Amino acid sequence: TLEALSYGVPCIVTDGVGLGNDIAYANAGFKCATNAIDIAKALNKFINDYGNIEVMSHCARMLIQNKFDLGLIAKKSIDSYRDLINK
């Protein structure tokens, strides 16, 4: 999922995917329940919103850049370790 988002591919994910709330909030795709009816509804919504694909694609890339960039994650990890060591 992260790789697809990094290429600007909006994703449809089910409740079991930990990124679901982030994806929905960032307008980088759709989150749905894990059943055939809700998945079909999400697919239908994606098809109907296809005119918005460029915006969703941009949002997908921005989600990765702002929340999941490896440099950002490394900095947060280092800061957390420093906090632990200094306590």
Side-chain angles (χ1 to χ4, degrees):
T1 305
L2 289 175
E3 185 175 7
L5 293 167
S6 72
Y7 283 104
V9 177
C11 294
I12 297 173
V13 295
T14 59
D15 290 333
V17 176
L19 300 172
N21 290 335
D22 292 320
I23 289 170
Y25 181 77
N27 191 32
F30 301 100
K31 176 185 169 189
C32 62
T34 310
N35 63 65
I37 292 171
D38 283 349
I39 292 170
K41 286 179 184 177
L43 287 168
N44 192 37
K45 187 172 182 179
F46 180 78
I47 291 166
N48 289 330
D49 285 353
Y50 195 77
N52 198 22
I53 192 75
E54 288 183 26
V55 171
M56 290 175 63
S57 178
H58 175 75
C59 291
R61 287 189 301 275
M62 290 298 99
L63 173 61
I64 295 300
Q65 182 178 342
N66 295 329
K67 190 159 186 177
F68 298 105
D69 175 73
L70 288 179
L72 181 63
I73 292 170
K75 182 184 179 326
K76 286 181 181 179
S77 296
I78 290 168
D79 290 344
S80 293
Y81 288 129
R82 281 189 179 134
D83 287 345
L84 287 172
I85 291 169
N86 291 329
K87 286 185 179 181

